[in-house]
Amino acid sequence: MRRLVVTSLALFLGACESNNIDSASEKPPETQRAALTIPTFTLVKDLNAMSLGPAPGSVVAAHQRVYFGANHPSGSALYSLDPTTSVATPITTFPTSTAPTPQGVYRPAGGTADLLVFSAFEPGTGMELWLSDGTAAGTRRVADLNPGPLSSNATMVGQLGDALVFTAIRGSDFLLYRMDALFQVTRLSSEPVTGPPALLNQRVLFAQSSAINSEPWVSDGTVAGTQRLKDIHPTGSSSPIGFTVVGSRAIFFANNGTAGAEPWSTDGTPAGTSLLKDIQPGASGSMPFLAQSRIASVGSTVFFAANDGVHGEELWKTDGTSTGTVLVSDAVPGATGSAPTAFTGTPGRLFYTASQSTTGGEPWTSDGTSAGTFMLKDILPGANRSVSGRYVPFGAGALFFADDGIHGREPWFSNGQPSGTQLVSDLYPGSRGSADLQLLSVAGARAYFACTTPLGVNDLCDTDGTSAGTRRLSLPGPGTAPSAPTWLVATPQGRAFFAASDGLTGRELYVTDGTPTGTQRLTDLSPGIADGVTGQIYVFGQNVVFAGRTPEHGSELWFSDGTPRGTRMIRDIHPTAGVGALDGIVRTYATVHGNHFYFIASDGVTGNELWRTDGTENGTERLTDVLPGPAHSAVPDPAPISFGASLIFTAQDAQFVRSLYSLVPGSLPVRLTAQGLGVLKAIRNQNKVYFIAYPVSGTASTAPGGLWSTDGTPQGTVFITGGSFRDLIATGTEVALAGSGVLYASNGTPGNRRLVSLAGPSNLYDPEPPFVMVDGTLTFVGGNGTMGVGLWRSDLTRPGTTRLSSSATLDSYAWVHAEKEYVYFVADSATQGRELWMSDLTAANTRLAYDFAPGKLDGSPGRPIRINSTQLLLTANDGAHGTELWRIDEVTP
């Protein structure tokens, strides 16, 4: 639908400007050129050589085996693991990296064995519901519930009689379905379902939302037997949530319009549905935030978090009666509360996480009595939380992940007593921690989880709850882990700098000359796996500056000459211990102007303002305080622009409106744009700065929105033309503009704008524009469903705008990069995935440059940078080494 809307808008705009478009004519013939000479591609170095496991997800036991979804050389696969031998075998493979997700088991009427229920993704059908008997031949998709490539994200509810009940998306609505023993699917709900349903007394209890209200519904598994349970809020929505079954009843939260959101009880009949207790009198209600994870049953008791308005959010319980609905424990006296969460019921005991004034989120337990409710252990002393994720019933207690500040996040076990709450195993010695995902799955007598050890990452580990019984399972993986180089820049003397992780450290600064021996790590600013490089790297003369983080100083501006000794912090701009001037500014959007580097930073006295440095501590100074005090004024996007003796930059006022300013260092900044006019993008083109700006809603601005230009003075700041634009590029004497899937051009005189093409660039949200200039020709990746998708070239005339290649999809991550007389770009094809292409701007010489990841897997190459006259560097994933640094060697014809 979105593509149709864009196309229609483009056609409408084209019709409106037909008198300003070059008359249509035949496409000019292409100049015949020699065939492209394809360069060679070489992996520079596998910086992160740790073994990369299959990245397993959830685990389900069936057929005396353990099933999980994980990566596979062909994309992903459903695996079957023999728990006695720890040998995993792929049952069915899928052509994408989205791994299957096992959900449970279902046994049809008359069946002799359970069927595994799982969801899996295919390009043509999206994520849908599948069944398997453990063999390839017995594995099948149930149905394409959300027709076409859209996903239904089907989620199993449970088995009701001989039927499987599940929820799935159709269109944009979550609906309730049933599948019978003949695998026929029937839709049960007529309106969207909100929140997880529950099985109660051979019925399904769920919340159904209409355009009028949201109320509890119940179904016996037939269309006729699906009906509203009760209209709890006759004049609005009761918004029921948290259905939790205990015996023959279910407890949930709902709002009747007078008592607020409070606990209710139902036996699945209208007469048996009633308000349990008005815990907090009045319309506010006692229901806590994220109520779904803060309610659980233990035997005949339901525990839940509630706020009675006096004790804050604390632990409550109910036996299904009003008198039996009581506060269990006031862990934090007063109105603050202990904010209990992550409720998990086990036989005889509840496990949950709570906080006190001197402790963060720590493991707690309750048997339903005040004396039997206590913190199990202060695993991480102090105010920080130790527990992450949920608890999983296991044996005579529960397993969970926690970080004690020494061992990192590792598996822990508790039997419900402080003495029995212990670290299970330090699988990755030191503070790194082994638990990558907060996901534990129990299958039989063992629990399984994704883990990282010194032997590899994204592996599958299992445990019996003891240190000796905890192990890494050696499963086949796709190769080695990625170092994922980012912020790649080249200096004039043929070196490149970038940030990457070798698996032993976080993202740190590296330098390379394009050879394995010439590639080295320069820093370990944040010991362990914390990132030392936290922001964009910029070239500054023969050197680089970057945002670097240390535990002592936070993120500050650093300098490097390419040697460990010559890598240093320039100045501790924000003097507060552990707090940095660049904290939270991932991409600094800085620029070099004269002999100084200009950037955005905060010293703690003022907010984000414009600073500059000559690379020395004494030569680092703040230039502006546009919005006095600690409020942020300088905006890191767009980047400051060097413009003659001035610097053009954006800053926001108290209404958060981005205005354009001109600054001559040593003088006060001068505002160039009118009050209330917000600036989005700005570029320099010859002797002017062009920018896109629109009046901000809620301001009194009467300035028109669209394309503007300035000569650096308020009187020389003029409006050129209106339109819906998202990006712009200098083309020499003109400016090209993109927006709403349309390409325009303007010569910069007021009122001048012409439509160039109804097909425009596809990605207008990347920090770098999705178009480049090559020998006076505009080149971009984009298009639409009507005119085609691929690489385009344009001389900024209608007949001179042509498509050079065809792509399978409109890639939202597309880029194009100019090198000499040709371009590199990324394209997605049905046979090769997202790979690197090149073109000399003729259709005949537009072709695949290199298939990094053979087959349909994505190589996902990044933008290349040139390090010398014949070599470039880029990042890519060949499927065996993860995303690493590669070298392009150009071949002389």
Side-chain angles (χ1 to χ4, degrees):
M1 179 65 72
R2 183 173 299 165
R3 182 173 295 170
L4 292 175
V5 170
V6 169
T7 302
S8 299
L9 176 60
L11 293 175
F12 171 73
L13 291 172
C16 291
E17 301 204 7
S18 60
N19 60 341
N20 199 24
I21 301 175
D22 296 323
S23 59
S25 62
E26 294 296 323
K27 183 172 71 174
E30 286 187 343
T31 302
Q32 296 299 313
R33 300 185 183 180
L36 280 179
T37 301
I38 302 298
T40 61
F41 294 80
T42 306
L43 176 68
V44 174
K45 191 174 184 178
D46 188 7
L47 290 173
N48 191 342
M50 295 181 68
S51 171
L52 182 64
S58 61
V59 174
V60 168
H63 318 130
Q64 288 76 54
R65 302 184 72 83
V66 173
Y67 295 91
F68 62 92
N71 291 335
H72 184 271
S74 65
S76 62
L78 177 68
Y79 285 86
S80 170
L81 174 74
D82 185 336
T84 60
T85 63
S86 298
V87 174
T89 305
I91 298 173
T92 303
T93 61
F94 299 89
T96 72
S97 60
T98 303
T101 304
Q103 299 185 23
V105 293
Y106 162 65
R107 177 169 292 189
T112 59
D114 292 333
L115 293 177
L116 176 72
V117 180
F118 68 100
S119 55
F121 185 91
E122 290 183 308
T125 59
M127 183 72 77
E128 296 291 348
L129 194 68
W130 287 63
L131 298 172
S132 178
D133 63 1
T135 67
T139 302
R140 52 164 290 182
R141 185 178 68 245
V142 173
D144 186 8
L145 296 167
N146 205 2
L150 298 176
S151 295
S152 73
N153 292 329
T155 303
M156 178 179 176
V157 175
Q159 185 160 347
L160 185 64
D162 67 345
L164 176 70
V165 179
F166 59 94
T167 59
I169 298 174
R170 185 175 180 87
S172 59
D173 297 331
F174 259 106
L175 301 171
L176 187 68
Y177 291 87
R178 63 160 281 167
M179 182 192 72
D180 63 23
L182 300 177
F183 310 114
Q184 298 300 307
V185 175
T186 304
R187 172 177 164 176
L188 297 177
S189 64
S190 58
E191 300 285 353
V193 172
T194 58
L199 297 180
L200 172 68
N201 301 334
Q202 289 301 303
R203 293 183 178 183
V204 186
L205 184 64
F206 62 100
Q208 181 170 289
S209 176
S210 68
I212 302 174
N213 58 22
S214 175
E215 295 293 344
W217 283 59
V218 68
S219 175
D220 63 2
T222 67
V223 175
T226 301
Q227 56 192 348
R228 186 170 61 189
L229 175 61
K230 189 165 187 172
D231 189 4
I232 292 176
H233 192 326
T235 61
S237 293
S238 68
S239 303
I241 190 173
F243 297 109
T244 302
V245 175
V246 54
S248 60
R249 302 192 70 82
I251 307 299
F252 62 99
F253 285 97
N255 185 345
N256 64 4
T258 57
E262 295 288 355
W264 283 64
S265 174
T266 184
D267 62 0
T269 67
T273 303
S274 61
L275 174 66
L276 196 56
K277 190 169 189 174
D278 187 5
I279 292 175
Q280 183 175 153
S284 295
S286 66
M287 184 183 76
F289 181 64
L290 298 176
Q292 191 69 49
S293 64
R294 308 174 76 176
I295 184 169
S297 63
V298 176
S300 59
T301 300
V302 170
F303 291 89
F304 59 95
N307 184 347
D308 62 3
V310 176
H311 300 92
E313 289 185 1
E314 291 289 0
L315 182 66
W316 287 65
K317 72 173 183 179
T318 183
D319 60 3
T321 68
S322 180
T323 55
T325 303
V326 295
L327 174 69
V328 176
S329 173
D330 187 13
V332 178
T336 301
S338 63
T341 188
F343 285 24
T344 300
T346 65
R349 187 165 292 278
L350 175 78
F351 288 87
Y352 65 101
T353 301
S355 303
Q356 291 182 302
S357 58
T358 57
T359 65
E362 297 293 345
W364 283 61
T365 188
S366 178
D367 62 1
T369 68
S370 179
T373 302
F374 47 83
M375 182 173 67
L376 288 165
K377 180 169 283 191
D378 188 6
I379 294 174
L380 181 61
N384 293 326
R385 65 183 299 121
S386 71
V387 179
S388 57
R390 62 190 180 93
Y391 301 83
V392 176
F394 187 73
L399 282 166
F400 58 98
F401 290 124
D403 184 347
D404 61 4
I406 299 172
H407 302 93
R409 190 167 66 220
E410 295 284 0
W412 285 64
F413 174 79
S414 178
N415 63 0
Q417 297 299 322
S419 60
T421 302
Q422 303 290 337
L423 172 70
V424 173
S425 179
D426 188 13
L427 284 166
Y428 201 120
S431 61
R432 165 66 172 83
S434 67
D436 291 329
L437 302 174
Q438 299 173 16
L439 180 66
L440 274 163
S441 300
V442 175
R446 304 190 70 83
Y448 297 81
F449 58 98
C451 61
T452 287
T453 71
L455 298 177
V457 301
N458 290 344
D459 281 321
L460 184 65
C461 287
D462 72 345
T463 183
D464 63 0
T466 68
S467 179
T470 303
R471 60 190 178 178
R472 167 183 176 263
L473 303 178
S474 183
L475 304 178
T480 57
S483 69
T486 54
W487 298 317
L488 192 62
V489 297
T491 57
Q493 66 270 50
R495 298 178 303 170
F497 292 79
F498 59 95
S501 171
D502 60 8
L504 303 176
T505 68
R507 306 189 65 74
E508 296 290 346
L509 186 67
Y510 283 77
V511 66
T512 184
D513 61 2
T515 67
T517 56
T519 303
Q520 64 170 320
R521 177 164 53 84
L522 298 175
T523 64
D524 188 9
L525 302 182
S526 293
I529 61 168
D531 290 338
V533 178
T534 59
Q536 179 76 29
I537 303 169
Y538 284 91
V539 176
F540 185 37
Q542 301 290 321
N543 311 296
V544 295
V545 291
F546 63 97
R549 174 185 288 277
T550 64
E552 300 82 10
H553 302 291
S555 290
E556 293 285 354
L557 194 66
W558 283 64
F559 170 96
S560 179
D561 64 2
T563 67
R565 180 183 290 272
T567 301
R568 55 179 170 78
M569 184 173 66
I570 296 175
R571 176 181 166 182
D572 187 9
I573 294 174
H574 199 306
T576 303
V579 180
L582 304 180
D583 285 354
I585 305 178
V586 177
R587 191 178 177 99
T588 51
Y589 290 92
T591 194
V592 175
H593 178 61
N595 296 321
H596 287 80
F597 179 75
Y598 290 75
F599 61 102
I600 308 299
S602 170
D603 59 6
V605 177
T606 66
N608 287 340
E609 293 291 346
L610 188 64
W611 288 66
R612 74 172 182 177
T613 183
D614 61 3
T616 67
E617 181 177 4
N618 291 334
T620 303
E621 60 180 342
R622 177 171 53 82
L623 298 175
T624 66
D625 189 10
V626 175
L627 195 57
H632 299 312
S633 66
V635 179
D637 180 21
I641 297 172
S642 178
F643 187 62
S646 304
L647 196 75
I648 307 296
F649 70 100
T650 53
Q652 65 185 16
D653 57 22
Q655 293 179 293
F656 304 103
V657 177
R658 295 184 182 188
S659 298
L660 203 65
Y661 287 82
S662 174
L663 175 71
V664 176
S667 304
L668 293 175
V670 177
R671 185 173 188 157
L672 302 177
T673 51
Q675 190 82 24
L677 189 65
V679 177
L680 299 181
K681 293 281 185 177
I683 62 166
R684 179 176 179 173
N685 190 25
Q686 297 184 342
N687 61 348
K688 290 185 178 181
V689 170
Y690 292 85
F691 59 97
I692 300 170
Y694 295 94
V696 175
S697 176
T699 67
S701 174
T702 58
L707 178 65
W708 290 69
S709 73
T710 183
D711 62 2
T713 66
Q715 61 271 24
T717 301
V718 298
F719 176 69
I720 297 173
T721 182
S724 179
F725 310 126
R726 292 290 302 177
D727 218 329
L728 71 168
I729 184 174
T731 65
T733 59
E734 296 192 302
V735 174
L737 301 127
S740 299
V742 182
L743 185 65
Y744 294 94
S746 173
N747 64 12
T749 60
N752 183 268
R753 182 190 73 175
R754 67 181 186 278
L755 179 67
V756 174
S757 175
L758 297 176
S762 62
N763 179 13
L764 302 178
Y765 298 93
D766 191 274
E768 300 178 59
F771 32 30
V772 295
M773 293 297 296
V774 183
D775 292 334
T777 301
L778 179 68
T779 309
F780 62 91
V781 176
N784 55 49
T786 301
M787 303 184 68
V789 176
L791 181 71
W792 291 70
R793 59 169 290 170
S794 176
D795 61 4
L796 299 187
T797 68
R798 189 70 180 276
T801 301
T802 59
R803 183 163 51 88
L804 302 175
S805 72
S806 178
S807 183
T809 60
L810 187 60
D811 197 334
S812 61
Y813 298 97
W815 54 260
V816 60
H817 178 79
E819 281 296 337
K820 298 179 179 177
E821 70 280 0
Y822 51 86
V823 297
Y824 289 102
F825 65 101
V826 66
D828 191 347
S829 72
T831 55
Q832 279 116 1
R834 293 187 73 245
E835 296 293 350
L836 187 69
W837 287 58
M838 63 185 303
S839 174
D840 64 1
L841 305 192
T842 66
N845 282 343
T846 299
R847 56 161 294 179
L848 179 72
Y850 195 70
D851 189 5
F852 288 96
K856 297 180 180 180
L857 298 179
D858 294 335
S860 300
R863 293 177 185 265
I865 63 164
R866 181 170 292 280
I867 57 172
N868 56 50
S869 60
T870 60
Q871 293 180 322
L872 299 94
L873 297 175
L874 80 165
T875 60
N877 185 348
D878 65 357
H881 301 92
T883 301
E884 295 288 354
L885 193 66
W886 287 68
R887 186 181 70 243
I888 302 175
D889 291 284
E890 295 174 329
V891 179
T892 303

